[in-house]
């Protein structure tokens, strides 16, 4: 190479390196500016002011403000005429406004009315004459169509909540009560599907696409409508295809402490058909209620997910239609005759809505029909479903009929996306019974709901796969039962289902024998499916091991707490097959049945509530296990010993002080506690109906009776909840002393204990929780 060329190459190389270095430095400075911005809270499910947050950041955060315009969106929906004439401008204006925040008070807990009373008479009253920046604050209003005033909406944004001390206190109340499971911050329209399911406590429910879990919690509440029944006959199986989102689902469900919820991880379009044991024979599990809230393009969520403005195209709907139809079909197959299935999307597009329903009704051949639910939610404004629509490609090309679609687009546009051509058949479908909620009618998001009732088995399931009883299975080879199940079922789904029913991969007799032997060795152990049966993704779950009847672990517990003979000990389980059992969980007998009969078909993420925790020094107190607050409301009806009845003043003392001495309790409580042996206790408050100004809901707390003092084991947010319900304003918490400061304790500060009492406290037996207000093993990962 010539020297001149070498020099030129060197100059060019240096220039390129300089440009790259400058670009890297600019990027670093931009990232630095981004990180210096105050952290913005992530959008909740209600997504109250997502649009405004992005707008405020502007270019400062490295992103331009999103313009809330999409000409293709407007052209598409104007052509489809889903918005009534003369309302288009209102419709578009409402889409550009931030979504109001909405909250729902959990309805099944006995103190829901107390929370409502507290909200209306304290927090809402304080907002009535409040002004922030010269603007009058709007007081929250109840949703007119939600029963018993248990759902409210407000236009307060997070920015406004931070500006006034009164509003900040209200915000703190919402956050704390949400963590306790007493309030759910949920978008208004997403509350509709569970209401239309008409759930009864005995219903078996499948939630097919459940995460993040707000609708699932509604279903759990409905199961526990009668709080005097600790174990309703029904249950909820909540499924999601995304392993990580399943753990979000677990977190939501755990707040309600129900033994009737199971979280599983499957593709909803091929969720396995389960079997249960009925009087010694296996029967297919059909669900009484199914919630089918499918993945969708989400153009009804533009008010909270402002990215939709920029990304929206009809291609999203065309790509999702097939999946939505497969999920709905799978749900219909597993629905019991006479059962009800709700199909819902947060999309306004008929391709995802009426097209799916019409295709499902057509292929059901009369087995399904749309229910008329127009009178079930009085006060809710909705538009009837449409019976005529067209399909548009992403480049704006319209097709009114499948026959107009060119061959090259047949993989993208399918026949089921169009309305049926037979007008008589179309009319008989009654698509007008579908509900479409438009944002401008009641200041909500956009939504679509259809309620389907099953009148007969689906046509391809007329001959249900035979399921052998246990005795028959023992007599006949498994191979023949597999053949009998699949014979005469030409459907591509049936063969798969029959394999699932008789046991995954049981076409080879050798494998079956192997599995039977291993099941005999590990009776009552419900582990994850073997890898050769099902490919697992995400985290490997611990097994679910039911406590055997002859386990020596249980009699000391039974004796210590004087458990009632009706206590369902067979429903106790642990999550380990070896070593010490540290936590004991409980499920309903119906979920136990499901777990034991389907461990090879399902990937179970979580089920059961924690009822007992091992205490490291528990053996010296006659019982190695102490009560867990998470499951106390389920367990309490069976406990006949170690119950201390306390008054309201006692509850205040116990919740605001870490280790109050016996003498600080009322004389009635003192007389009960002084003769008790050391160990775990139940603290029960019964409301006084003669004094309506006091707290009018029962409270059950877990505690520990020490040598000279007593303490509660209640999570912090739950403590704060009970204190608020008793009218105490929580001011803060002293970290070292573990004392919660309230308006009363601040007015009359505690006198220090004498040295002798302090020495006695130090000698009190220590239980695993060293942090006040935390339950045992609270630091462990959520199972």
């Amino acid at each position: 190479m010539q020297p001149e060329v070498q020099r030129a190459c060197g100059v060019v190389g240096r220039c390129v390196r300089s440009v790259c270095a400058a670009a890297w430095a600019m990027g670093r400075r931009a990232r630095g500016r981004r990180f210096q911005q105050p952290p913005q809270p992530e959008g909740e499910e209600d997504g109250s002011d997502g649009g405004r947050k992005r707008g405020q950041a502007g270019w400062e955060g490295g992103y331009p403000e999103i313009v809330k315009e999409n000409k293709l969106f407007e052209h598409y929906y104007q052509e489809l005429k889903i918005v009534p004439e003369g309302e288009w401008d209102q419709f578009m204006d409402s889409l550009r406004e931030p979504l109001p925040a909405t909250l729902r008070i959990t309805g099944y807990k006995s103190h829901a009315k107390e929370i409502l009373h507290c909200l209306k008479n304290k927090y809402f009253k304080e907002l009535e004459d409040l002004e922030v920046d010269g603007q009058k604050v709007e007081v929250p209003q109840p949703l007119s169509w939600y029963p018993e005033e248990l759902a409210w909406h407000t236009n307060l944004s997070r920015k406004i909540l931070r500006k006034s001390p009164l509003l900040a206190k209200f915000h703190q109340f919402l956050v704390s009560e949400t963590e306790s499971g007493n309030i759910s911050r949920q978008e208004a329209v997403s509350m509709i599907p569970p209401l239309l399911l008409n759930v009864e406590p005995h219903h078996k429910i499948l939630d097919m696409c459940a995460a993040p879990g707000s609708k699932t919690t509604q279903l759990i509440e409905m199961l526990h409508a009668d709080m005097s029944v600790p174990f309703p006959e029904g249950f909820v199986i909540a499924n999601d295809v995304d392993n990580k989102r399943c753990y979000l689902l677990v977190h939501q469900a755990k707040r309600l402490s129900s033994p009737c919820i199971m979280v599983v991880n499957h593709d909803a379009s091929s969720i396995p058909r389960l079997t249960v044991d009925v009087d010694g024979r296996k029967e297919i599990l059909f669900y009484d209620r199914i919630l089918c809230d499918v993945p969708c393009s989400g153009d009804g969520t533009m008010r909270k997910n402002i990215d939709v403005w920029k990304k929206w195209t009809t291609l999203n709907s065309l790509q999702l239609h097939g999946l939505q139809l497969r999920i709905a079909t799978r749900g219909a197959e597993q629905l019991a005759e006479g059962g009800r299935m709700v199909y819902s999307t947060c999309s306004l597009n008929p391709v995802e809505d009426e097209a799916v329903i019409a295709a499902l009704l057509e292929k059901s051949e009369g087995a399904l029909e749309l229910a008329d639910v127009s009178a079930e939610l009085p006060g809710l404004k909705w538009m009837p479903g449409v019976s005529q629509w067209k399909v548009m490609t992403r480049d704006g090309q319209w097709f009114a009929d499948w026959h107009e679609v060119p061959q090259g687009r047949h993989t993208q546009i399918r026949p089921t996306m169009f309305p049926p051509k037979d007008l008589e058949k179309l009319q008989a479908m009654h698509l007008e019974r579908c509900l479409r909620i438009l944002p401008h009618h009641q200041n909500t998001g956009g939504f679509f709901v259809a309620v389907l009732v099953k009148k007969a088995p689906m046509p391809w399931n007329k001959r249900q796969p035979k399921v052998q009883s246990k005795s028959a299975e023992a007599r006949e080879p498994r191979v023949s039962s597999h053949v009998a199940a699949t014979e005469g079922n030409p459907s591509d789904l049936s063969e798969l289902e029959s394999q699932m029913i008789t046991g995954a991969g049981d076409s080879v007799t050798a494998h079956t024998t192997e599995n039977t032997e291993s099941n005999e060795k590990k009776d009552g152990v419900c582990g994850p499916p073997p890898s050769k049966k099902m490919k697992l993704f995400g985290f490997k779950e611990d097994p679910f091991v039911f406590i055997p009847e002859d386990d020596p672990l249980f009699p000391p517990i039974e004796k210590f707490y004087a458990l009632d003979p009706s206590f369902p000990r067979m429903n106790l389980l642990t999550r380990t097959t070896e070593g010490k059992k540290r936590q004991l969980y409980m499920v309903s007998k119906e979920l136990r049945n499901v777990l034991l009969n389907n461990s090879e078909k399902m990937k179970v993420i979580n089920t059961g509530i924690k009822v007992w925790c091992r205490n490291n020094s528990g053996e010296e107190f006659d019982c190695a296990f102490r009560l867990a607050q998470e499951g106390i409301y389920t367990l309490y009806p069976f406990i006949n010993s170690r119950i201390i009845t306390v008054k309201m003043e006692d509850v205040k003392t116990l919740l605001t002080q870490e280790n109050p001495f016996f003498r600080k309790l009322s004389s009635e409580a003192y007389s009960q506690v002084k003769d008790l042996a050391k160990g775990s206790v139940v603290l029960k408050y019964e409301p006084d109906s003669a004094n309506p100004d006091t707290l009018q809901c029962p409270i059950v707390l877990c505690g520990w009776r020490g040598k000279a003092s007593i303490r509660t084991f209640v999570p912090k947010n739950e403590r704060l909840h009970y204190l608020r319900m008793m009218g105490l304003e929580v001011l803060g918490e002293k970290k070292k002393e573990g004392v919660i400061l309230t308006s009363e304790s601040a007015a009359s500060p505690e006198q220090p204990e004498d040295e002798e009492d302090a020495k006695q406290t130090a000698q009190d037996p220590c239980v695993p929780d060293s942090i006040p207000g935390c339950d045992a093993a609270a630091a462990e990962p959520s199972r």
Side-chain angles (χ1 to χ4, degrees), residues 79-232:
E79 184 71 23
L80 290 181
K81 296 182 170 58
I82 64 159
V83 179
E85 201 171 334
E87 296 183 17
W88 180 259
D89 289 341
Q90 291 173 260
F91 170 73
M92 290 304 298
D93 288 345
S94 70
L95 282 178
R96 293 185 180 102
E97 286 294 314
L99 190 69
T102 46
L103 60 94
R104 181 174 57 80
I105 299 167
T106 53
Y108 87 83
K109 294 201 172 183
S110 55
H111 43 256
K113 288 180 181 175
E114 290 293 322
I115 299 171
L116 181 60
H117 181 266
C118 180
L119 269 173
K120 289 168 74 173
N121 295 297
K122 183 182 179 188
Y123 292 97
F124 291 169
K125 273 195 180 301
E126 290 173 349
L127 304 180
E128 280 178 3
D129 301 313
L130 190 66
E131 287 191 8
V132 177
D133 289 347
Q135 187 177 354
K136 195 173 186 303
V137 171
E138 290 185 36
V139 178
Q141 296 297 321
L143 295 177
S144 59
W145 45 268
Y146 201 94
E148 300 179 35
E149 287 193 342
L150 290 178
W152 293 70
H153 70 103
T154 169
N155 289 325
L156 297 172
S157 69
R158 287 188 181 85
K159 185 181 176 183
I160 295 175
L161 281 170
R162 292 191 195 99
K163 282 204 170 184
S164 163
L166 276 175
L167 284 177
K169 194 166 61 176
F170 175 52
H171 185 247
Q172 183 190 5
F173 166 81
L174 292 181
V175 171
S176 178
E177 292 297 323
T178 300
E179 279 300 310
S180 301
N182 302 308
I183 280 177
S184 278
R185 298 165 77 182
Q186 180 181 354
E187 191 181 340
V189 287
S190 84
M191 301 176 194
I192 297 170
L195 291 176
L196 291 176
L197 272 176
N198 285 350
V199 170
E200 300 286 340
H202 64 275
H203 283 156
K204 301 172 185 68
I205 307 162
L206 173 64
D207 190 350
M208 299 189 78
C209 310
S214 57
K215 299 180 188 70
T216 310
T217 56
Q218 264 182 282
L219 298 173
I220 298 169
E221 291 164 26
M222 292 169 184
L223 281 182
H224 291 272
D226 184 357
M227 278 299 288
S228 64
V229 180
F231 294 101

Side-chain angles (χ1 to χ4, degrees), residues 391 399-419 421:
V391 175
F399 300 105
D401 187 80
W402 163 250
H403 300 296
E404 298 175 8
V405 181
Q407 187 72 30
R409 291 192 181 271
H410 278 189
T411 54
Q412 184 188 79
I413 299 174
R414 305 299 301 148
T416 52
M417 296 177 182
F418 296 90
K421 297 303 291 180

Side-chain angles (χ1 to χ4, degrees), residues 402-672:
W402 163 250
H403 300 296
E404 298 175 8
V405 181
Q407 187 72 30
R409 291 192 181 271
H410 278 189
T411 54
Q412 184 188 79
I413 299 174
R414 305 299 301 148
T416 52
M417 296 177 182
F418 296 90
K421 297 303 291 180
D422 187 335
L423 292 179
E424 191 177 330
K425 190 185 285 186
L426 180 62
Q427 201 170 0
M429 287 180 178
H430 294 292
L431 291 178
E432 72 280 356
R433 291 178 178 175
C434 301
L435 315 183
R436 179 174 276 104
I437 289 92
L438 298 179
H440 63 290
H441 283 166
Q442 287 181 305
N443 199 12
T444 62
F447 210 69
F448 175 87
V449 193
V451 182
L452 295 152
V453 176
K454 192 171 184 179
K455 297 293 185 183
M458 300 298 274
W460 54 91
N461 283 343
K462 290 289 186 189
R463 292 186 60 184
Q464 296 286 6
K466 293 179 183 177
V467 181
Q468 301 293 333
S469 66
K470 286 182 181 176
S471 55
E473 282 177 5
R475 289 194 304 270
E476 297 176 18
R478 284 290 190 94
V479 177
S480 62
S481 72
H482 170 74
V483 173
T486 56
E487 191 178 9
N489 266 314
S491 162
D492 56 345
L493 287 169
S494 300
E495 190 173 344
L496 175 66
E497 285 173 10
S498 60
Q499 278 198 355
M500 288 174 176
I501 292 161
T502 53
D506 57 359
S507 56
V508 181
T509 313
H511 287 181
T512 305
T513 312
E514 216 173 282
N515 291 343
T516 309
E517 287 174 3
S518 65
N519 285 344
E520 284 171 2
K521 287 176 188 173
K522 295 188 177 182
D523 188 34
V525 178
C526 306
S531 56
K532 65 181 178 182
K533 307 290 185 189
M534 186 189 299
K535 196 168 183 181
L536 295 182
F537 299 94
F539 303 103
K540 184 181 178 184
E541 291 301 318
D542 292 330
F544 296 85
V545 187
F546 285 95
I547 306 294
E549 279 193 66
D550 57 352
D551 196 312
L553 170 145
F554 185 70
I557 297 174
E558 187 177 34
K559 182 182 176 183
F560 190 73
Y561 296 103
L563 294 180
D564 194 84
S566 64
F567 178 74
R569 59 183 293 178
M570 294 292 288
N571 300 352
L572 279 176
L573 61 86
T574 184
R575 299 297 302 272
T576 179
T577 52
E578 51 193 41
K580 272 191 173 183
K581 300 175 178 69
R582 303 205 64 81
Q583 322 282 347
L584 297 184
Y585 301 87
M586 189 159 230
V587 293
S588 65
K589 69 175 183 180
E590 288 78 14
L591 275 187
R592 180 182 188 274
N593 193 348
V594 173
L595 265 175
L596 287 175
N597 287 286
N598 301 279
S599 62
E600 289 198 349
K601 301 174 194 173
M602 295 191 304
K603 185 183 177 188
V604 181
I605 300 295
N606 187 276
T607 191
I609 50 166
K610 184 164 56 179
V611 287
W612 279 292
C613 311
R614 182 178 287 276
N615 178 23
N616 291 336
S617 55
E619 281 80 357
E620 60 187 87
F621 307 119
D622 302 324
C623 181
F625 288 85
R626 68 172 183 81
L627 299 163
Q629 183 67 28
E630 180 184 318
I632 191 61
Y633 282 94
T634 299
L635 205 54
Y636 172 73
F638 301 101
I639 297 175
N640 293 313
S641 175
R642 305 193 63 79
I643 299 171
I644 302 167
T645 305
V646 292
K647 293 187 172 182
M648 193 159 142
E649 291 307 313
D650 296 324
V651 178
K652 290 178 183 177
T653 302
L654 289 163
L655 292 179
T656 54
Q657 298 179 36
E658 184 184 358
N659 277 313
F661 289 96
F662 297 157
R663 58 184 173 76
K664 290 190 176 180
L665 301 175
S666 63
S667 56
E668 293 88 343
Y670 177 77
S671 62
Q672 296 171 70

Side-chain angles (χ1 to χ4, degrees), residues 361-402:
L361 289 172
E362 190 166 16
K363 72 197 295 189
S364 78
E365 297 176 9
L368 298 172
E369 69 174 37
L370 275 169
D372 182 358
V373 292
S374 55
E376 291 192 14
L377 291 179
L380 178 67
K381 293 179 182 175
W382 49 275
M383 296 298 297
V386 296
S387 55
Q388 292 297 328
W389 62 89
K390 295 185 289 184
V391 175
M392 188 180 82
T393 61
R394 66 188 300 177
D395 52 9
Q397 188 177 359
W398 288 94
F399 300 105
D401 187 80
W402 163 250

Side-chain angles (χ1 to χ4, degrees), residues 231-261:
F231 294 101
E233 287 180 34
F235 56 79
V236 178
I237 293 181
N239 173 69
D240 202 85
V241 69
D242 188 318
N243 185 267
K244 289 179 181 176
R245 281 165 63 87
C246 282
Y247 292 91
L248 180 60
L249 189 53
V250 169
H251 174 72
Q252 286 273 56
K254 280 290 178 189
R255 297 181 309 155
L256 293 176
S257 302
S258 170
C260 305
I261 169 75

